């Protein structure tokens, strides 16, 4: 239908005013720009979103509010539209609000002409909340992935299980083929733990917190400790579920056991000299008014027990100081051979063992002499304890370009190759349950820490059956 010219004009005005109302009233942040990318008009929703007033925005450049990383791409799209005739474009970008915070928007820009002049109409769709949700979900996924943890859900009606990334890994499955349900999951647990967990799951009530620790046998037959924490929830009228986390606590459990073992070893170690000391003191008490010729021997015994107690307590204190990062070195310059002589006096004086000190006699180092002597004494005492048949202990001092090396060698049973990497760890004893030799498994750990603090290295070469060479180095720069 053809309208007369004046009616066309009215129609245009009508359209214009309709557009005007939509532009002003819509909750979609919108603006109109010209070919110089200058903002000509903005609506209320845009000022709300970006925080700047209409006056501040009008006349500004559209890319002034874009995040730096989005500017080049946004600018290119504008060029394609204005210079190469593309009628519109879309992009997702980030904009900087007046308060400095960021908003993520889907941008749609459409070109239009009025009186032969080109303009563009831009609508922004704010998806910041979604983006933040996505980011927090991503963060959670990454955190879960790196945390030996998995999230899972048990539908209490169907008894089926849904799970997050990491669930199979935790249970030792590499494929994702398994159709998990309650039964399959329960089968993973060792029988005694399975019974306990089954009982819990059979009698849950809405709002109940579940905290269960049990052992599973993974697909590879590895036993793992799992902590299962969850809450029983009502989702809707029909659906009830337990939503929770599974967490691999094997390491914690091992550490707990290590600590328990350690406490019993430490008590046992302390008890032996304490009992001996108590015995000596009781006899001394009895003979206090009429000493017998046994007195000197008893005093010596008491003093030996006392030194053993002191050295055990010392080791414990040192180990806890190391754990708290509180070992402070007192460095002085001293002659190594002399220090070795001095600290091995107790062995040479006993006459049971022969100590041969070889190598360079004139080496001086700048180190904490007391602590270096402690390392040497530990090596020597270990040679006596663990290689009792080897009556000669050789200590050698050698120099290389960069460092000074001290080696303590015995000809005892040596150490099995597979045990060597663990020797310098806390609480480690090669013969974990042996009563034959005493020790807290702390000596080499403390020694390693002392040497590490000096910037040196520590280690052992051992040929099982032929003996062991325990060595450490000290850097020459400090020597
Ligand atoms: P401990 O206080 O138990 O002696 P250490 O940390 O000094 O602890 O030593 C750790 C373990 O290394 C010992 O339990 C022992 O089994 C082994 N070990 C240390 N020195 C020797 C050695 N010279 N020959 C054989 N085994 C040794």
């Amino acid at each position: 239908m053809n309208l007369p010219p004046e009616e066309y004009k009215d129609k245009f005005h009508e359209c214009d005013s309709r557009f005007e109302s939509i532009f002003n009233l819509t909750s979609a942040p919108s603006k109109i720009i010209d070919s110089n990318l200058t903002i000509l008009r903005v609506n209320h929703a845009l000022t709300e979103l970006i925080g700047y007033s209409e006056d501040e925005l009008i006349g500004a450049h559209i890319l002034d509010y874009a995040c730096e990383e989005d500017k080049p791409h946004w600018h290119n799209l504008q060029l394609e539209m204005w210079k190469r005739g593309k009628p519109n474009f879309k992009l997702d970008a980030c904009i900087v609000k007046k308060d400095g915070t960021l908003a993520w928007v889907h941008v749609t820009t459409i070109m239009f002409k009025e009186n032969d002049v080109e303009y563009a109409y831009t609508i922004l769709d704010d998806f910041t909340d979604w983006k933040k949700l996505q980011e927090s979900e991503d963060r959670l996924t990454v955190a879960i992935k790196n945390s030996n943890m998995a999230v899972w859900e048990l539908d209490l009606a169907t008894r089926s299980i849904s799970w997050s990334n990491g669930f199979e890994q935790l249970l030792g499955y590499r494929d994702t083929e398994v159709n998990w349900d309650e039964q399959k999951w329960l089968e993973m647990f060792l029988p005694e733990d399975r019974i306990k967990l089954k009982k819990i799951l059979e009698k849950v009530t809405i709002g109940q917190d579940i905290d269960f620790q049990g052992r599973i046998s993974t697909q590879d037959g590895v036993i793992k400790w799992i902590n299962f924490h969850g809450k029983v929830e009502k989702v809707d009228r029909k659906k009830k579920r337990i939503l929770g986390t599974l967490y691999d606590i094997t390491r914690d459990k091992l550490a707990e056991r290590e600590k328990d073992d350690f406490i019993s070893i430490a008590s046992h170690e302390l008890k032996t000299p304490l009992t001996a000391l108590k015995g000596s003191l009781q006899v001394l008490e009895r003979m206090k008014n009429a000493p017998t010729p046994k007195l000197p021997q008893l005093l010596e015994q008491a003093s030996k027990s006392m030194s053993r107690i002191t050295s055990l307590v010392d080791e414990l204190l040192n180990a806890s100081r190391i754990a708290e990062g509180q070992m402070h070195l007192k460095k002085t310059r001293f002659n190594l051979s002399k220090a070795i002589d001095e600290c091995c006096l107790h062995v040479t004086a006993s006459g049971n063992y022969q100590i041969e000190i070889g190598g360079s006699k004139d080496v001086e180092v700048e180190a904490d002499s007391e602590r270096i002597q402690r390392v040497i004494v530990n090596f020597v005492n270990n040679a006596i304890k663990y290689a009792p048949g080897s009556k000669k202990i050789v200590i050698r001092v050698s120099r290389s370009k960069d460092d000074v090396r001290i080696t303590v060698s015995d000809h005892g049973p040596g150490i099995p190759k597979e045990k060597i990497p663990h020797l310098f760890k806390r609480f480690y004893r090669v013969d974990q349950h042996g009563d034959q030799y005493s020790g807290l498994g702390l000596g080499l750990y403390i020694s390693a820490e002392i040497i590490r603090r000096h910037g040196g290295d520590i280690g052992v070469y051992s040929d099982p059956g032929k003996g062991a060479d325990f060595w450490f180095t000290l850097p020459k720069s400090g020597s």
Side-chain angles (χ1 to χ4, degrees):
M1 181 181 71
N2 285 337
L3 293 173
E6 54 285 359
E7 281 192 38
Y8 263 126
K9 222 170 169 188
D10 289 349
K11 242 336 187 226
F12 281 140
H13 270 131
E14 214 177 281
C15 281
D16 239 18
S17 65
R18 253 189 230 145
F19 171 78
E20 195 70 19
S21 321
I22 293 171
F23 184 79
N24 287 327
L25 291 175
T26 177
S27 56
S30 314
K31 58 193 165 191
I32 293 173
I33 57 168
D34 66 12
S35 57
N36 298 320
L37 312 189
T38 303
I39 301 176
L40 303 177
R41 292 198 51 194
V42 294
N43 69 356
H44 181 64
L46 186 84
T47 58
E48 285 270 283
L49 168 71
I50 200 161
Y52 288 100
S53 68
E54 195 175 339
D55 287 348
E56 285 170 314
L57 289 170
I58 288 178
H61 193 271
I62 189 168
L63 293 184
D64 285 352
Y65 306 99
C67 292
E68 282 308 317
E69 63 272 25
D70 290 325
K71 279 185 183 173
H73 181 51
W74 199 339
H75 187 73
N76 275 344
L77 290 172
Q78 292 280 7
L79 281 184
E80 271 184 28
M81 192 178 74
W82 296 106
K83 307 273 185 245
R84 286 173 218 126
K86 217 178 156 210
N88 55 53
F89 69 81
K90 278 176 180 265
L91 93 149
D92 288 348
C94 142
I95 54 174
V96 187
K97 302 207 271 187
K98 189 170 182 178
D99 63 7
T101 58
L102 304 181
W104 275 267
V105 286
H106 301 297
V107 181
T108 308
T109 296
I110 305 159
M111 183 186 256
F112 68 94
K113 261 189 189 174
E114 207 173 88
N115 300 331
D116 274 345
V117 183
E118 287 172 329
Y119 300 97
Y121 177 60
T122 295
I123 310 173
L124 306 181
D125 180 8
D126 182 7
F127 66 99
T128 310
D129 289 346
W130 180 86
K131 173 104 180 161
K132 283 192 176 151
L133 200 70
Q134 186 72 30
E135 275 173 4
S136 96
E137 217 175 289
D138 288 350
R139 263 202 301 273
L140 192 66
T141 311
V142 172
I144 288 174
K145 212 170 152 192
N146 295 315
S147 69
N148 281 344
M149 189 176 94
V151 178
W152 74 290
E153 179 184 324
L154 170 68
D155 185 320
L156 289 170
T158 63
R159 310 309 277 194
S160 61
I161 289 182
S162 5
W163 59 92
S164 72
N165 279 345
F167 184 79
E168 271 101 2
Q169 255 166 306
L170 210 100
L171 302 181
Y173 280 81
R174 258 158 268 117
D175 48 59
T176 43
E177 297 297 302
V178 192
N179 231 343
W180 290 101
D181 62 10
E182 187 184 16
Q183 189 53 34
K184 171 88 190 145
W185 187 61
L186 279 169
E187 276 166 19
M188 298 289 301
F189 285 83
L190 299 192
E192 60 262 48
D193 293 338
R194 187 184 310 147
I195 295 168
K196 285 186 213 156
L197 182 58
K198 198 162 182 262
K199 264 193 192 151
I200 296 176
L201 295 179
E202 272 166 5
K203 281 194 260 156
V204 290
T205 49
I206 301 293
Q208 181 186 342
D209 278 315
I210 296 176
D211 202 356
F212 177 79
Q213 296 189 347
R215 287 151 301 164
I216 57 162
S217 171
T218 66
Q219 198 185 24
D220 319 323
V222 178
I223 304 291
K224 276 190 187 179
W225 273 94
I226 296 286
N227 182 78
F228 156 49
H229 190 82
K231 195 163 185 87
V232 187
E233 294 179 336
K234 192 171 181 168
V235 182
D236 53 41
R237 253 193 318 149
K238 281 195 199 136
K239 192 173 170 185
K240 279 190 271 173
R241 69 178 177 193
I242 304 176
L243 182 63
T245 52
L246 286 185
Y247 189 58
D248 183 349
I249 52 165
T250 314
R251 270 168 64 179
D252 303 348
K253 282 283 174 190
L254 286 178
E256 213 174 274
R257 206 172 66 199
E258 232 173 41
K259 249 193 182 131
D260 290 347
D261 286 353
F262 173 71
I263 289 171
S264 69
I265 290 170
S267 325
H268 176 79
E269 289 299 318
L270 281 165
K271 214 171 155 198
T272 316
L274 269 173
T275 315
L277 180 62
K278 201 171 155 197
S280 308
L281 286 176
Q282 275 169 350
V283 182
L284 283 168
E285 172 77 28
R286 259 183 266 134
M287 68 167 63
K288 72 175 177 227
N289 296 324
T292 72
K294 274 195 136 188
L295 183 99
Q297 194 194 336
L298 281 165
L299 281 175
E300 196 190 321
Q301 251 175 32
S303 145
K304 257 194 190 159
S305 304
M306 201 56 218
S307 329
R308 177 75 190 130
I309 295 167
T310 315
S311 86
L312 283 170
V313 171
D314 231 38
E315 261 185 27
L316 287 171
L317 285 176
N318 270 303
S320 81
R321 248 178 239 144
I322 289 172
E324 286 163 15
Q326 283 180 358
M327 191 204 283
H328 305 294
L329 301 181
K330 285 187 221 116
K331 287 193 180 177
T332 53
R333 199 166 186 82
F334 62 92
N335 178 290
L336 253 181
S337 283
K338 275 194 193 145
I340 295 171
D341 271 339
E342 219 176 84
C343 69
C344 292
L345 257 182
H346 70 291
V347 183
T348 34
S350 77
N352 295 332
Y353 292 86
Q354 185 201 338
I355 294 201
E356 187 185 298
I357 303 173
S360 325
K361 293 264 180 232
D362 57 342
V363 177
E364 289 205 338
V365 289
E366 183 144 341
D368 185 326
S369 69
E370 208 176 290
R371 289 208 162 95
I372 294 300
Q373 283 182 323
R374 170 184 280 276
V375 178
I376 297 165
V377 169
N378 184 228
F379 282 1
V380 171
N381 283 350
N382 277 353
I384 294 170
K385 264 198 293 185
Y386 302 109
S390 160
K391 294 294 172 197
K392 191 159 105 179
I393 299 162
V394 180
I395 308 180
R396 185 158 293 278
V397 180
S398 57
R399 261 188 289 217
S400 73
K401 196 160 89 22
D402 303 318
D403 53 34
V404 176
R405 175 180 290 249
I406 293 95
T407 312
V408 177
S409 311
D410 64 61
H411 293 97
I415 299 138
K417 213 171 163 187
E418 69 280 8
K419 311 269 183 182
I420 288 181
H422 307 288
L423 278 190
F424 297 90
K425 289 184 188 161
R426 200 149 60 134
F427 310 142
Y428 187 79
R429 305 189 321 163
V430 171
D431 184 8
Q432 295 287 352
H433 307 291
D435 290 333
Q436 198 184 352
Y437 311 118
S438 55
L440 299 175
L442 287 175
L444 291 179
Y445 162 71
I446 295 171
S447 301
E449 199 55 28
I450 291 173
I451 299 305
R452 196 180 65 80
R453 293 286 169 98
H454 279 85
D457 260 338
I458 193 165
V460 60
Y461 297 117
S462 178
D463 210 350
K466 293 193 182 147
D469 295 343
F470 278 86
W471 58 266
F472 69 87
T473 61
L474 291 172
K476 250 187 177 168
S477 51
S479 50

